[in-house]
Amino acid sequence: MTTWDRFLEFPWQTDHPCLDESDLAIHPAPEYASSEVLVAALYRRIGMSDLKERDVPILGRELMRRLEAHKRPEDASLGAEAWSRVLQGAVQSPKLPNQSQKRFLQLTPLVPEAARVSGSARLSGQPWSPGNLIERMVMMGSPSRADADALWQELFDALSVNSSDDVWARWLEGELVAWRPDDAQWALVPIKDSSWPSSFHNEKPPESYPARQFCRDLVAVLRVKDQMTRRQWITLLESVLRIGAAAHVLWLCEVNCLGWTYVRSAMRGGEAPPTIYPKRISYFRYGTAALDRAKETVARYLDARMNINAVLWGLEKLGRHSKYPSQRKMAGKHYGQQSISTRLR
């Protein structure tokens, strides 16, 4: 079966590498995630290199079994019964309506160790990692790699529990560590070198876009941590992550829609639009139905993605091969928007 035939058979599972490896592709593909899941996944991405998303529910169930067996660790300050009341009372987070009958830990991500046993996007299978999406936003929203690394480090420092945090946060983190069965560490996991969006930054991105605003907002949130309790600060961080992530994904959807407009214009021999970036960004206007606008944007993105894939796979079938983004990076070459339209013509 040729790649073209595979695309016709499984159109949603066969993205062309030129699209899939693009800096403006939506990676990772987002699924449903609450603001608490965003924070928990960020903890795991930035400081728990040894932990996979699929292992989180397993570790949560193991902790519940130790509590039921009344296996109190030597370093723990509370017994199993008292600690169980804390986990299922003071730091418990409401479950979704369809999860109310399921038995698992659902904790508010006040401290890093809470994310080791709670807060995965799904309870089984291979959950997606919203933490990777936040990392991507930091990379795309920072002016340079050095700025991204500095912000990532500052974010890790703020998420860590230290002497500047309130007594409740320090005690909770220490107790969760005491009940942890292994010697897992909390240490900075650097931004991946292979994921840096060099083409996006080299082609002079717009002055204002959601990822850039998110980084600015994140800096402001980090600055006020010492003026709040841990719970207040985490709540503020949750809101910034939720709004920033949703706006970033919708912006990428619009970019891909405009990209399809660009490709279609080039195929017809018409004049290409001046840019593939939206001129106006307004996703959450006060008093409007945000969900309706989001559904419409996502629907248009799916249509654009299908059409772009059809063009790219069709060109490949005709023998018009183009170097994939990973191959162009290896060759040290730079391809702008004008070269794309030239190849399509």
Side-chain angles (χ1 to χ4, degrees), residues 14-27 309 312 325:
T14 320
D15 280 341
H16 193 278
C18 282
L19 180 62
D20 186 55
E21 297 176 11
S22 168
D23 288 343
L24 295 174
I26 302 180
H27 286 307
N309 270 314
L312 292 172

Side-chain angles (χ1 to χ4, degrees), residues 40-53 112 116 129 131-132 134-136 138-139 145 148-157 159-160 184-195:
L42 177 58
Y43 279 131
R44 293 188 287 269
R45 172 61 194 91
I46 202 171
M48 301 178 183
S49 60
D50 59 327
L51 185 61
K52 294 181 173 59
E53 293 293 312
R116 200 176 292 277
S129 175
N132 291 336
I134 304 303
E135 177 196 28
R136 188 70 176 173
V138 169
M139 289 191 290
R145 177 59 192 267
D149 288 336
L151 180 56
W152 196 244
Q153 176 69 62
E154 189 175 354
L155 178 58
F156 171 79
D157 293 339
L159 290 172
S160 303
Q185 300 296 315
W186 167 255
L188 177 67
V189 182
I191 289 175
K192 302 184 190 78
D193 291 332
S194 60
S195 300

Side-chain angles (χ1 to χ4, degrees), residues 57-108:
I58 298 174
L59 293 176
R61 289 191 290 269
E62 290 178 355
L63 175 56
M64 294 177 69
R65 284 194 291 269
R66 289 197 301 277
L67 290 171
E68 292 170 354
H70 295 277
K71 295 181 178 180
R72 176 182 176 177
E74 293 182 1
D75 298 335
S77 62
L78 292 182
E81 186 176 347
W83 182 230
S84 180
R85 285 200 299 268
V86 172
L87 294 180
Q88 299 183 42
V91 294
Q92 186 180 39
S93 178
K95 296 179 181 180
L96 296 175
N98 62 343
Q99 297 176 332
S100 59
Q101 301 302 318
K102 296 182 180 179
R103 192 165 172 272
F104 64 98
L105 278 178
Q106 183 81 346
L107 308 180
T108 301

Side-chain angles (χ1 to χ4, degrees), residues 61-336:
R61 289 191 290 269
E62 290 178 355
L63 175 56
M64 294 177 69
R65 284 194 291 269
R66 289 197 301 277
L67 290 171
E68 292 170 354
H70 295 277
K71 295 181 178 180
R72 176 182 176 177
E74 293 182 1
D75 298 335
S77 62
L78 292 182
E81 186 176 347
W83 182 230
S84 180
R85 285 200 299 268
V86 172
L87 294 180
Q88 299 183 42
V91 294
Q92 186 180 39
S93 178
K95 296 179 181 180
L96 296 175
N98 62 343
Q99 297 176 332
S100 59
Q101 301 302 318
K102 296 182 180 179
R103 192 165 172 272
F104 64 98
L105 278 178
Q106 183 81 346
L107 308 180
T108 301
L110 288 177
V111 294
E113 281 304 314
R116 200 176 292 277
V117 295
S118 172
S120 62
R122 289 202 301 266
L123 300 177
S124 60
Q126 298 286 346
W128 78 292
S129 175
N132 291 336
L133 177 62
I134 304 303
E135 177 196 28
R136 188 70 176 173
M137 291 162 59
V138 169
M139 289 191 290
M140 294 190 68
S142 299
S144 67
R145 177 59 192 267
D147 291 315
D149 288 336
L151 180 56
W152 196 244
Q153 176 69 62
E154 189 175 354
L155 178 58
F156 171 79
D157 293 339
L159 290 172
S160 303
V161 175
N162 51 48
S163 58
S164 65
D165 285 284
D166 53 63
V167 175
W168 165 245
R170 298 202 304 270
W171 177 82
L172 182 62
E173 178 75 351
E175 197 70 7
L176 283 165
V177 170
W179 282 86
R180 190 177 64 196
D182 52 31
D183 296 325
Q185 300 296 315
W186 167 255
L188 177 67
V189 182
I191 289 175
K192 302 184 190 78
D193 291 332
S194 60
S195 300
W196 180 250
S198 55
S199 297
F200 173 71
H201 287 291
N202 290 339
E203 293 188 3
K204 296 182 179 180
E207 293 184 2
S208 179
Y209 53 100
R212 177 62 57 83
Q213 186 60 50
F214 165 75
C215 288
R216 293 168 180 160
D217 293 343
L218 185 58
V219 169
V221 170
L222 296 177
R223 296 289 186 270
V224 300
K225 182 192 173 186
D226 293 339
Q227 304 174 36
M228 303 179 176
T229 65
R230 179 83 183 193
R231 186 182 290 272
Q232 289 172 330
W233 183 74
I234 288 294
T235 301
L236 180 61
L237 178 64
E238 284 180 8
S239 65
V240 170
L241 292 179
R242 181 177 67 249
I243 295 173
H248 173 68
V249 171
L250 291 176
W251 181 78
L252 286 177
C253 286
E254 281 205 281
V255 169
N256 279 266
C257 291
L258 291 171
W260 165 237
T261 302
Y262 194 102
V263 171
R264 184 174 55 189
S265 176
M267 291 174 61
R268 294 175 175 175
E271 184 177 352
T275 179
I276 62 170
Y277 299 121
K279 294 181 179 180
R280 185 178 180 183
I281 302 174
S282 178
Y283 302 125
F284 308 113
R285 296 180 61 185
Y286 181 76
T288 60
L291 185 58
D292 292 342
R293 169 73 184 278
K295 288 181 178 179
E296 177 188 349
T297 302
V298 171
R300 290 191 295 109
Y301 158 72
L302 293 174
D303 181 68
R305 173 183 159 192
M306 176 75 74
N307 288 323
I308 293 174
N309 270 314
V311 170
L312 292 172
W313 285 121
L315 288 173
E316 189 157 308
K317 181 184 180 183
L318 295 173
R320 299 288 300 275
H321 295 279
S322 296
K323 286 187 176 181
Y324 304 157
S326 57
Q327 296 171 323
R328 297 200 294 269
K329 289 179 182 178
M330 292 176 62
K333 295 182 179 179
H334 173 69
Y335 285 74

